[in-house]
Amino acid sequence: MDINKALEDCSKLVIAAIHGTALGGGLEVALSCHYRFAVASAKVGLPEVKLGLLPGAGGTQRLPRLVGAEAALDIMVSGRFLGAQEALKLGAVDAIGEGDLLDGAKEYANKLIAEGAEARRVRDLTFDAPAELFEGFRKSIARKARGFLAPWKIIDCVEAAANMDFDAGLKREGELFLELYKSPETRAQQHVFFAERQVGKIPDVPKDTP
């Protein structure tokens, strides 16, 4: 969390250069930067829900401020990945480019400087989210999310982002993360997640065996 705050509070422009897959904490670091540049093949996402957790490094507080509450809820509760074009359309990234990552990021940085862009702190952005949005979203996932805790806690976090100041919302995110971390539901989801990845590996059989 300290690195996120340091990036956000820097007086000089901080631009995240994204390629490959920026997931979970990787995206949360990028969300703490003032601007985000991605290559066209990049993917981003906050898939912690698949491990029975929620994004615990400010993701539930910063993402809604960039893409809105409804889109943020969909992204975090589903755990799905976004391609660069969709991320750009929603506002999760600010620019995309082809070719070399560093060259593209430098070009984007020079463009921002030429335009006199300021260090934009995501924490200072605001968004509107009526109470009906959260109630409606809870109803929409009721059947699918039955027996799981993380989706509901994610909704609670985004609702806190809408109704509290940033620091209070961040504190609430941390409290709910710890609740999930200690829960049997989360441990069970993590067991299943890693077991599914182990089941296809047979000890002592070479990987190239048909």
Side-chain angles (χ1 to χ4, degrees):
M1 298 294 284
D2 289 344
I3 184 65
N4 297 62
K5 188 175 188 305
L7 290 169
E8 203 161 44
D9 290 345
C10 185
S11 59
K12 294 184 179 180
L13 294 185
V14 181
I15 300 164
I18 303 170
H19 70 154
T21 50
L23 305 175
L27 179 57
E28 287 179 292
V29 169
L31 293 175
S32 302
C33 297
H34 302 138
Y35 299 91
R36 284 147 295 283
F37 172 86
V39 294
S41 59
K43 293 183 179 179
V44 300
L46 295 172
E48 286 86 348
V49 70
K50 296 180 180 179
L51 291 174
L53 295 169
L54 57 82
T60 67
Q61 303 303 296
R62 291 188 176 93
L63 187 63
R65 286 172 160 81
L66 284 173
V67 306
E70 188 170 6
L73 287 169
D74 169 61
I75 292 165
M76 290 187 285
V77 171
S78 69
R80 68 187 183 89
F81 300 174
L82 305 181
Q85 287 289 351
E86 184 181 4
L88 177 66
K89 182 179 179 181
L90 290 174
V93 302
D94 301 291
I96 59 176
E98 303 285 352
D100 183 76
L101 173 69
L102 187 56
D103 288 344
K106 285 180 178 179
E107 183 179 343
Y108 180 56
N110 286 326
K111 177 177 179 289
L112 289 172
I113 292 168
E115 294 173 350
E118 298 181 350
R120 182 188 62 172
R121 300 201 312 170
V122 174
R123 63 174 292 152
D124 294 334
L125 302 178
T126 59
F127 66 100
D128 294 322
E132 310 88 75
L133 170 66
F134 299 106
E135 290 311 309
F137 198 87
R138 287 185 177 98
K139 289 178 181 178
S140 73
I141 68 163
R143 180 174 294 182
K144 187 176 181 180
R146 185 179 180 184
F148 296 94
L149 287 183
W152 308 102
K153 301 298 184 184
I154 289 171
I155 298 170
D156 290 344
C157 284
V158 178
E159 194 166 24
N163 297 319
M164 299 178 178
D165 64 46
F166 181 83
D167 289 327
L170 200 62
K171 181 181 178 182
R172 184 62 177 147
E173 177 190 86
E175 293 168 351
L176 293 176
F177 181 91
L178 286 177
E179 282 185 27
L180 288 174
Y181 184 75
K182 297 175 182 178
S183 72
E185 288 89 349
T186 293
R187 290 196 295 273
Q189 270 190 265
Q190 291 172 355
H191 173 80
V192 170
F193 181 87
F194 292 110
E196 285 177 342
R197 278 145 188 79
Q198 287 295 322
V199 76
K201 301 176 182 178
I202 305 174
D204 303 322
V205 176
K207 292 182 179 180
D208 59 353
T209 302

